[in-house]
C-alpha cells in the first residue's frame, strides 16, 4: 500500500491534493496575520490560492514532473524503459503515458465526456426556456448553466478533441514514431481534467457557479461571487494545455516528418494542425492575460477594470477577443483538415486545388488576427475601428469560400462512398456554408448593430461550431475509429445518428435566426411571450438532438467492446496512418517510411505515397482498378 | 481539367453531359429563386419605428438576396453529387478521375466572392455613415443603465427645481432626431431598441451614443442586451413615441415650464465614476447594491 502511494500514479496524485491545500493554508495564514487582515482565516483567500497550488500538487503526485525533477536536481534520470509508453491494459489509460496514441485516446474520450455534460446543460436550459416564465431553475442558476455550457464545450470539448484526434493520427501521418515531446504531451492532457473539474466544481461554490457567460466581461466578472474564479483559473489550465500541445505539434511537424515528406506532400490535416498551432501559440497567452487581470482585480484589488479608479472596461474585451476570435479558427481549422482527409478518400479523388487549400489555411491564420473587434461593434470603442474590422471580417470569407468550393469540386465526378464519415463531411459542407453566410451578414456593421448579442448570434455560433466543428469531429471520429480501436463501428447506427442529428440540429438552431432578428436577446432566463411558440419548438428539438447523440454513444461503446475487427486500411486510404495495423504498433512503424508522392493521388495510375525501407511493405493503395490495369 | 496521366487504362466514369449540367444549373437557379422569395417573405423584423431602421432592414434584404444563392448553389451541387456520383454496386474498386485542380475555376471562385464582398462592404459602410449622421434640431436624451433598470433624462428640459426631467420609461416625440448619450453606473449594459434596429453598450466610465429618428407612433420594447447579472432578463422598459404636442404636454406634466437650457447631460457628482456616489445625486433613485449572491466580493479576500 505504501509502495503504491509512493509510486507515481493516480493514488499519489490524489494524496497530494490535501497536501497542496495544507500548503495553501500555510502560505495564506501567516501573510494575512502579518498584514493585519481580518479575519486571518478567510475561506475565499485560501480557496483561490489552493486552486492554483492543489492542481500542481496533483500533477506532481501523478508523476507528470518526475523525469524533469530527477534531471533538474542532478539525480540519475531513470533510463527510458518505455514502461510509460503504450497501453497494454485499460489501466494504462489512467496514468501518465507518453504514447501519442494513448494520449490521443485519453483526449478524445475525456473530451466526449464533457460533450455529454455540456450538452446536458443545454438541454436543461431548454427546459427553462420551453415556456416564458419558466420556473425550472432560478435566474442565477440559469446564467450559470449557459456560462458553464459554453466554457466546457469550448475549452474541454472542441479544442481538446481536435488536439486528441490530431495527437493520434498526426505523427502517424507524417511518419514519426511519436510526438516531439512525449512527456510534455502527457502533461498537456493531464491539465485538462483539472480544468474540467474546476469548471464543473464551480456549481458547488458559495453564490453559485460563474454566471457571466463564457466571455466573462468585466466588471460583471470582477464583481461576481467566488464561482467566477473557477472560470478564471480553470481557463488557465485549459489554455496551458492548449499552448503546450500546440508547441508540440509545431516542433513535431517541422522536425519529425519522414524523409521525402516535404511541406507540400503533407496531408491537409497536418497543414490544418500546423496552422491551428500557430494560432494557439500566438493567441492563447492573451486569454491567459485577460483572466489574470480579472484574478488580480478580484483578489488583490488592482482595479484594471474599475472605471472609477482609472481602469479601462473595454480593455478586457480587446484582450479577450484577441484570443477568442482566433479561437474560433482554432475550433475550426482542424475540422477543415479532417474534412479534406475524409472527402479525398471517400470520393476517391485528389483534393481539388491542394496548394490553395494549404494557402487558404495560412490566410485564415493571418486574417484571423485582424478581426477581433467585430465582436465589439456595439461596445463603445472608437467608431472608426468598425470599418476596418468590417472589411477584414468580410475578407476572411474568401479563403473560407475557397475551401468550401474546393471540397465541392473534389466531390464532382468522384466515386462517392456515402457511408457515415462521408455523410458527416457532406453535412458539414452545407451547414457550415450557412454558418459562414450568417457570419458575413454579421460582419456588416449596421445589421450587427441590431442582432449583436441576440439569438441570431446563438444561431450563427451553433451553425459554425455544431454544424461546423462538431460535424467534422463526428466525421473524424467515425473515420479513424477503426484505426484507434481496431474495431469497426455499426454503419447502420452511424447513419441513424447522422440523419437524426442533421434534422434536430436544424430544427433547433434555424428558428433562432428568426427570433433573434425579431428581438429576443440571448442569455435570458425569461422572455417575452411573443417568442413562446418558437421556443417550445426549439426546446423539443434540442432534446431530440440530445437523444440522437445517445445513438452515437451506444454505437461507440458497443463497437469498441465487440465490433468486428478492423483491417489495417478499411477505407483504402493512401496516407500513412492506414499503412500500419489497426490499432497501430506501439512505436508506429517497424521501419520508417520514405515519402515519394502526394497524399491524395487517388485515381492516378501507379501513384505511390510512400515506401518502407525494409521493402516488406509497400504502402500502395489497396489495389484500385486503375492500378491493377496499370500493372 | 488536366488529367496528369493518360487515361486510356483508367475506366473512369464519363464526365456529365452538357444536358446534365444545364439541367443542374436550371435546378440550382430555380432553387435559388425559391430560396430568395422564401427569404424575403419571412416576417423577419419587428415593427420599424425609426428612419434608420428602414435603412438597416433594406440592407438585410439585400444580404438575403446576395447570400441565399450561394448557400443554395453549394447545397445543390452537394446533393447532386451525392445522387449522381455515389458509388454503385460493382464500383467498389473504382477511383475518380485524378483532377488536381483548375486554375481558371480557382481564380473565379476567389475573385467573384471577393468582388461581391467588396460591394457589400462599401454598401454597409455607406449605411453605417448614414444612420450615424448628425441631424439638425437633435433632442438629447441621457440613458443610464444600472442593475436592473433604465433611467432617461432630458437635459434640455428642466423641472421647477432646475433639474433635468427624469423618467423610467422613454418618451420621444415623433419625427424629431434623437441623440442618446448612454452611461452605466455599475456593469456593462446594452441599450437596445429593437424597433430602431440599433443597440449600444452602456459602459462604466464612458459616454457612448447613437442616433435615431422616431417615425412611427406607438409603444415599443427597450431591452438590456448585455448580460448584467441576476436580473438581466427583467431589465426591460418601454419606449413611447408620441406626437410633438403630446410630448410637450408630457414635459409640462413633469414640471417643465419652457425655456430650454443646456447644462450637463447627466446628473452626476463632480467626481464621477463609482456607483455608490451616483446615489447621492438629487432626484435619482439610489443605486442599491444587490443582496446575497450578487454582492460584490471585492473586499472578500483582504
Amino acid at each position: 500500500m505504501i509502495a503504491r502511494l509512493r509510486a507515481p500514479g493516480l493514488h499519489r496524485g490524489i494524496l497530494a491534493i490535501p497536501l497542496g491545500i495544507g500548503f495553501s493554508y500555510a502560505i495564506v495564514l501567516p501573510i494575512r496575520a502579518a498584514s493585519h487582515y481580518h479575519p486571518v482565516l478567510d475561506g475565499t483567500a485560501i480557496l483561490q490560492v489552493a486552486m492554483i497550488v492543489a492542481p500542481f500538487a496533483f500533477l506532481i503526485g501523478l508523476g507528470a514532473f518526475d523525469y524533469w525533477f530527477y534531471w533538474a536536481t542532478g539525480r540519475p534520470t531513470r533510463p527510458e524503459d518505455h514502461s510509460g509508453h503504450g497501453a497494454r491494459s485499460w489501466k494504462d489509460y489512467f496514468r501518465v503515458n507518453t504514447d501519442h496514441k494513448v494520449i490521443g485516446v485519453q483526449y478524445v474520450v475525456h473530451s466526449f465526456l464533457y460533450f455529454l455534460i455540456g450538452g446536458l446543460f443545454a438541454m436543461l436550459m431548454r427546459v427553462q426556456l420551453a415556456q416564458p416564465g419558466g420556473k425550472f431553475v432560478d435566474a442565477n442558476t440559469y446564467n450559470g448553466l449557459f456560462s458553464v455550457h459554453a466554457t466546457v464545450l469550448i475549452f474541454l470539448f472542441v479544442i481538446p478533441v481536435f488536439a486528441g484526434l490530431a495527437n493520434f493520427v498526426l505523427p502517424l501521418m507524417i511518419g514519426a514514431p511519436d510526438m516531439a515531446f512525449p512527456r510534455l504531451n502527457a502533461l498537456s492532457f493531464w491539465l485538462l481534467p483539472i480544468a474540467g473539474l474546476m469548471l464543473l466544481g464551480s456549481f458547488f461554490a458559495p453564490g453559485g457557479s460563474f454566471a457571466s457567460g463564457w466571455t466573462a466581461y468585466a466588471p460583471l466578472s470582477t464583481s461576481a461571487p467566488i464561482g467566477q474564479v473557477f472560470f478564471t483559473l480553470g481557463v488557465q489550465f485549459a489554455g496551458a494545455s492548449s499552448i503546450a500541445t500546440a508547441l508540440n505539434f509545431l516542433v513535431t511537424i517541422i522536425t519529425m516528418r519522414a524523409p521525402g515528406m516535404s511541406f507540400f506532400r503533407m496531408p491537409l490535416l497536418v497543414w490544418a494542425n500546423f496552422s491551428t498551432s500557430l494560432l494557439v501559440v500566438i493567441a492563447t497567452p492573451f486569454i491567459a492575460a485577460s483572466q489574470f487581470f480579472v484574478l488580480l482585480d478580484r483578489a488583490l484589488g488592482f482595479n484594471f477594470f474599475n472605471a472609477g479608479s482609472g481602469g479601462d472596461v473595454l480593455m478586457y474585451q480587446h484582450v479577450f477577443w484577441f484570443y477568442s476570435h482566433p479561437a474560433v479558427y482554432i475550433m475550426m481549422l482542424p475540422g477543415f483538415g479532417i474534412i479534406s482527409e475524409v472527402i479525398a478518400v471517400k470520393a476517391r479523388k485528389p483534393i481539388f486545388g491542394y496548394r490553395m487549400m494549404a494557402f487558404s489555411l495560412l490566410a485564415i491564420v493571418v486574417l484571423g488576427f485582424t478581426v477581433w473587434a467585430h465582436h465589439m461593434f456595439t461596445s463603445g470603442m472608437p467608431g472608426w475601428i468598425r470599418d476596418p474590422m468590417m472589411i477584414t471580417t468580410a475578407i476572411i470569407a474568401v479563403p473560407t469560400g475557397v475551401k468550401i468550393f474546393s471540397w465541392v469540386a473534389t466531390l464532382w465526378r468522384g466515386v462517392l462512398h456515402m457511408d457515415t464519415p462521408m455523410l458527416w463531411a457532406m453535412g458539414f459542407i452545407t451547414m457550415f456554408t450557412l454558418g459562414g453566410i450568417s457570419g458575413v451578414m454579421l460582419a456588416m456593421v449596421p445589421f450587427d448593430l441590431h442582432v449583436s448579442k441576440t439569438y441570431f448570434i446563438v444561431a450563427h455560433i451553433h451553425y459554425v461550431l455544431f454544424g461546423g466543428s462538431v460535424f467534422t469531429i463526428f466525421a473524424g471520429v467515425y473515420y479513424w475509429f477503426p484505426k484507434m480501436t481496431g474495431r469497426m463501428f455499426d454503419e447502420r447506427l452511424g447513419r441513424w445518428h447522422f440523419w437524426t442529428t442533421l434534422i434536430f440540429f436544424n430544427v433547433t438552431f434555424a428558428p433562432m435566426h428568426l427570433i433573434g432578428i425579431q428581438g429576443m436577446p440571448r442569455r435570458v432566463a425569461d422572455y417575452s411571450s411573443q417568442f413562446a411558440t418558437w421556443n417550445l419548438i426549439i426546446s423539443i428539438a434540442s432534446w431530440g438532438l440530445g437523444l440522437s447523440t445517445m445513438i452515437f454513444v451506444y454505437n461507440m461503446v458497443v463497437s469498441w467492446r465487440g465490433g468486428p475487427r478492423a483491417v489495417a486500411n478499411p477505407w483504402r486510404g493512401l496516407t500513412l496512418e492506414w499503412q500500419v495495423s489497426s490499432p497501430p504498433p506501439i512505436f508506429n512503424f517497424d521501419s520508417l517510411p520514405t515519402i515519394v508522392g502526394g497524399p491524395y493521388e487517388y485515381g492516378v495510375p501507379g501513384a505511390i505515397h510512400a515506401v518502407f525501407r525494409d521493402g516488406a511493405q509497400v504502402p500502395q493503395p489497396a489495389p484500385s482498378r486503375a492500378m491493377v490495369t496499370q500493372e | 481539367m488536366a488529367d496528369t496521366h493518360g487515361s486510356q487504362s483508367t475506366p473512369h466514369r464519363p464526365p456529365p453531359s452538357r444536358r446534365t449540367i444545364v439541367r443542374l444549373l436550371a435546378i440550382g437557379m430555380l432553387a435559388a429563386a425559391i430560396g430568395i422569395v422564401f427569404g424575403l417573405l419571412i416576417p423577419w423584423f419587428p415593427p420599424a419605428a425609426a428612419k434608420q431602421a428602414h435603412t438597416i432592414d433594406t440592407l438585410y434584404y439585400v444580404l438575403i438576396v446576395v447570400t441565399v444563392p450561394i448557400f443554395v448553389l453549394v447545397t445543390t451541387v452537394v446533393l447532386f453529387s451525392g445522387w449522381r456520383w455515389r458509388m454503385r454496386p460493382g464500383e467498389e474498386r473504382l477511383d475518380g478521375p485524378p483532377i488536381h485542380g483548375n486554375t481558371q475555376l480557382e481564380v473565379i471562385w476567389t475573385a467573384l466572392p471577393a468582388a461581391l464582398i467588396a460591394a457589400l462592404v462599401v454598401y454597409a459602410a455607406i449605411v453605417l455613415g448614414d444612420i450615424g449622421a448628425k441631424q439638425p434640431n437633435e433632442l438629447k436624451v441621457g440613458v443610464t443603465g444600472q442593475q436592473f433598470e433604465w433611467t432617461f433624462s432630458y437635459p434640455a428640459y428642466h423641472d421647477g427645481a432646475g433639474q433635468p426631467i427624469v423618467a423610467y420609461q422613454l418618451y420621444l416625440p415623433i419625427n424629431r432626431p434623437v441623440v442618446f448619450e448612454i452611461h452605466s453606473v455599475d456593469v456593462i449594459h446594452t441599450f437596445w431598441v429593437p424597433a430602431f434596429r440599433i443597440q449600444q453598450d452602456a459602459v462604466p466610465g464612458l459616454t457612448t451614443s447613437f442616433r435615431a429618428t422616431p417615425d412611427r407612433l406607438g409603444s415599443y420594447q427597450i431591452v438590456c442586451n448585455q448580460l448584467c447579472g441576476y436580473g438581466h432578463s427583467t431589465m426591460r422598459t418601454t419606449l413611447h413615441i408620441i406626437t410633438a404636442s403630446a410630448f410637450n404636454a408630457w414635459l409640462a406634466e413633469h414640471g417643465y415650464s419652457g425655456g430650454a437650457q443646456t447644462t450637463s447631460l447627466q446628473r452626476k457628482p463632480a467626481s464621477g465614476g463609482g456607483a455608490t456616489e451616483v446615489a447621492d445625486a438629487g432626484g435619482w433613485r439610489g443605486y442599491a447594491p444587490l443582496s446575497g449572491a450578487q454582492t460584490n466580493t471585492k473586499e472578500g479576500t483582504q
Side-chain angles (χ1 to χ4, degrees), chain B residues 54-266:
Chain B
H54 305 293
T55 326
I56 292 172
D57 291 3
T58 309
L59 169 68
Y60 178 69
Y61 287 119
V62 170
L63 288 172
I64 287 270
V65 172
V66 173
T67 55
V68 163
I70 297 173
F71 170 68
V72 172
L73 181 82
V74 169
T75 308
T76 308
V77 179
V78 168
L79 289 176
F80 173 82
S81 303
W83 164 75
R84 178 71 171 75
W85 310 115
R86 73 181 186 280
M87 182 192 75
R88 291 177 172 79
E91 296 182 329
E92 285 81 2
R93 296 273 159 201
L94 189 68
D95 281 346
I99 303 164
H100 285 84
N102 181 313
T103 311
Q104 210 179 349
L105 210 56
E106 286 170 54
V107 168
I108 290 174
W109 71 43
T110 309
L112 209 63
L116 209 60
I117 273 167
L120 286 178
V121 164
V122 169
Y123 173 35
I126 292 171
V127 170
L128 183 61
D130 282 352
I131 60 177
K134 198 170 172 359
Q135 311 280 334
N137 189 30
E138 280 177 338
L139 171 67
K140 260 194 196 179
V141 176
V143 177
T144 303
Q146 65 185 78
Q147 291 169 323
F148 298 98
E149 68 178 6
W150 295 105
T151 316
F152 306 99
S153 67
Y154 298 80
Y157 301 99
H158 289 225
D159 59 18
Q163 296 290 342
I165 288 170
V166 166
Y168 298 101
Q169 296 200 350
L170 178 58
Y171 288 82
L172 296 175
I174 192 166
N175 290 332
R176 178 166 175 198
V178 181
V179 55
F180 296 102
E181 306 217 333
I182 303 159
H183 300 88
S184 169
V185 296
D186 38 44
V187 299
I188 302 173
H189 304 275
T190 298
F191 176 61
W192 181 31
V193 186
F196 289 172
R197 313 284 188 267
I198 301 178
Q199 58 182 303
Q200 178 62 58
D201 289 10
V203 184
L206 285 185
T207 302
T208 58
S209 71
F210 73 83
R211 294 187 158 84
T213 310
D215 67 350
R216 186 173 183 271
L217 296 174
S219 297
Y220 306 93
Q221 283 183 349
I222 293 172
V223 180
C224 174
N225 200 22
Q226 181 72 277
L227 177 62
C228 58
Y230 183 87
H232 167 56
S233 48
T234 63
M235 189 166 165
R236 302 284 178 89
T237 186
T238 309
L239 157 69
H240 305 277
I241 300 176
I242 52 182
T243 60
S245 55
F247 183 67
N248 287 333
W250 179 81
L251 286 175
E253 204 177 297
H254 284 71
Y256 174 65
S257 50
Q261 303 167 7
T262 21
T263 53
S264 81
L265 178 63
Q266 194 200 16

Side-chain angles (χ1 to χ4, degrees), chain A residues 32 225 348 416 452-453 572, chain B residues 87 92 199 201 293 301-302:
Chain A
R32 286 183 72 89
R348 312 305 307 164
L416 307 191
S452 185
K453 293 169 266 174
R572 296 191 296 126
Chain B
M87 182 192 75
E92 285 81 2
Q199 58 182 303
D201 289 10
T301 55
Q302 289 177 3

